[in-house]
Amino acid sequence: LILFRRTAEASAGQVAVVMVDGEATLKRVFFGGEKTELRPCNERMASIWVETDRLRIKGVMVGRIEKAA
């Protein structure tokens, strides 16, 4: 379970809830002017580069609750 705080802003490197073309994703954000890198926490997956004007920050991650074994 991911806990997030609703906000329209994120700092570089923060894990954020990002809407791109109506689809939500949870990624680390790195702003680079016209394009923003959406980097997954799983290093085996590739980053997504999106035109900055196509994305909307909906919140930032503030915690995670894991199920006890």
Side-chain angles (χ1 to χ4, degrees), residues 38-52:
L38 303 178
R39 186 182 302 168
C41 294
N42 181 343
E43 295 176 358
R44 292 177 281 173
M45 298 183 71
S47 292
I48 301 167
W49 289 87
V50 178
E51 290 83 8
T52 300

Side-chain angles (χ1 to χ4, degrees), residues 14-32:
Q14 274 191 302
V15 177
V17 178
V18 182
M19 295 292 293
V20 180
D21 299 333
E23 297 288 326
T25 188
L26 188 66
K27 302 270 191 280
R28 289 194 186 280
V29 293
F30 295 91
F31 302 99

